[in-house]
Amino acid sequence: MRIGSPVEFLFSYLGLGILGVILARLYADVGWWAVAAFAMPLLLARQMFFRTRALEDATKELKDREVVLRALSNRMAEERQDERKQIAGYLHDDLAQVLYRMALHLDISDKQLEKGDSAQAREEIAALRTSRDRAMQLVRALIKDLNLSPLGRAGLGEALKTYGEEVEKDTGVKIRTRVAEIEMAPPVQLLCYHVAREAVMNAVKHANASMITITLEPTGEGARLRVADDGAGFDPDEESPEGHYGLSMMKERAQVSGGDFRIESAPGKGTTVIADFPTSWMVEPDGDGRQASEAAAPGAPT
């Protein structure tokens, strides 16, 4: 059984061979007392050897976890940056345009009043009110979207159910949720939530689905998220299928947490997004020795 590097392995067994020769010589000269004198140190050395091996394995596992945590931290920072860019684009492309129209209507109404054309001024004021109502709708939509992002105190399960209800109300697409309460660290919960959200939005916007099922269930080593729809489907082997640009991002989010991701789909047969997330290695024991995840910060940015 080779353990360690080839050089260490060679020197270890050469040393054991020399020790065996010495022990055989002492046994021939002294008898069984020589074997007993050497047996105890050898047993202690064997225990130290296997403990050293276990320590090396634990060190390697710790380094692997540090790499995953670093990647997870970087990904969360990128998520916050992406969200800020999306908000900026939303404000620039939608809300800013409405405010600009409001300014135009206001200027035109002032000029009409100066000319004494009150009828035209009233039309401009009516248009100004319409633009004001549109601006208020956009602001409410932005606030609503921001409120959907954080998991809040209720956790991942309640967040998925609430999101499904909101999508069903806004789009008319039937959303079914079967979500189990599973302890996961807040960063992993957030990644899981975003994978589910992206999968649902793809099904609503691009697959023309009429039914979407969101399932979260425990597995032997963690939790499995499954988002299935009855939409148009596509060929997963094709590169960058039209209308499914978020697939690479969903895969990234699942894998950066140490999990796995796959797609089951075919043209005309719907799509199922399956993402596995780890739980045990990201969960810390509480004072009683039971497993308890870290408390999620309310209103944490996504």
Side-chain angles (χ1 to χ4, degrees):
M1 180 177 62
R2 187 178 69 82
I3 299 176
S5 65
V7 175
E8 293 174 345
F9 173 75
L10 177 62
F11 277 101
S12 297
Y13 274 81
L14 282 176
L16 290 175
I18 294 172
L19 184 61
V21 172
I22 296 173
L23 181 60
R25 182 63 182 174
L26 289 174
Y27 173 74
D29 295 341
V30 179
W32 284 102
W33 289 106
V35 177
F38 271 88
M40 186 61 68
L42 285 176
L43 289 175
L44 292 175
R46 179 180 179 276
Q47 287 298 109
M48 293 179 63
F49 176 77
F50 281 105
R51 285 184 177 273
T52 301
R53 183 185 179 190
L55 181 60
E56 290 177 352
D57 293 340
T59 302
K60 182 179 181 299
E61 183 181 359
L62 180 60
K63 290 180 178 180
D64 293 340
R65 292 183 181 183
E66 288 178 352
V67 171
V68 173
L69 284 172
R70 192 178 302 113
L72 183 57
S73 177
N74 293 337
R75 184 58 191 165
M76 291 181 68
E78 292 174 2
E79 291 281 352
R80 291 193 291 268
Q81 181 66 23
D82 291 343
E83 187 173 74
R84 287 193 292 268
K85 289 181 179 179
Q86 290 176 2
I87 293 173
Y90 181 86
L91 294 175
H92 177 270
D93 297 336
D94 295 326
L95 188 58
Q97 299 298 325
V98 176
L99 295 176
Y100 178 70
R101 287 198 298 270
M102 291 176 63
L104 287 179
H105 290 309
L106 184 60
D107 291 341
I108 294 173
S109 61
D110 284 341
K111 292 179 180 179
Q112 296 298 332
L113 289 174
E114 290 176 359
K115 295 178 180 179
D117 190 349
S118 60
Q120 186 65 32
R122 280 193 294 271
E123 292 181 5
E124 293 297 332
I125 292 173
L128 181 63
R129 290 194 181 99
T130 301
S131 297
R132 178 205 62 188
D133 295 339
R134 176 57 180 164
M136 294 175 65
Q137 291 175 359
L138 291 173
V139 171
R140 291 193 189 101
L142 178 60
I143 294 173
K144 178 181 178 182
D145 186 65
L146 291 175
N147 285 334
L148 285 176
S149 297
L151 297 178
R153 295 182 180 273
L156 176 61
E158 191 62 31
L160 290 175
K161 293 177 183 177
T162 301
Y163 178 67
E165 293 171 357
E166 293 288 343
V167 172
E168 183 173 351
K169 179 181 177 182
D170 293 340
T171 65
V173 177
K174 183 67 176 177
I175 308 290
R176 291 181 178 175
T177 56
R178 295 195 296 269
V179 180
E181 292 296 332
I182 304 174
E183 289 184 345
M184 289 192 289
V188 180
Q189 290 188 44
L190 192 59
L191 290 171
C192 181
Y193 175 82
H194 279 294
V195 171
R197 185 178 180 184
E198 185 70 29
V200 170
M201 293 313 298
N202 277 348
V204 171
K205 291 183 177 180
H206 309 299
N208 297 320
S210 59
M211 170 72 73
I212 302 173
T213 302
I214 304 173
T215 306
L216 182 66
E217 56 189 1
T219 61
E221 299 180 354
R224 172 165 295 170
L225 172 71
R226 186 188 299 267
V227 181
D229 67 71
D230 61 353
F234 65 99
D235 185 357
D237 296 330
E238 292 183 0
E239 185 176 356
S240 299
E242 183 179 359
H244 293 79
Y245 304 110
L247 292 181
S248 60
M249 185 174 293
M250 286 190 287
K251 183 177 181 180
E252 221 174 83
R253 285 167 172 160
Q255 291 181 341
V256 79
S257 68
D260 195 14
F261 177 86
R262 67 182 185 273
I263 293 284
E264 296 177 356
S265 183
K269 296 185 179 180
T271 300
T272 300
V273 172
I274 302 172
D276 292 318
F277 295 90
T279 55
S280 58
W281 71 272
M282 291 290 289
V283 177
E284 298 181 351
D286 61 13
D288 298 330
R290 295 170 300 183
Q291 297 296 315
S293 60
E294 301 171 2
T302 57

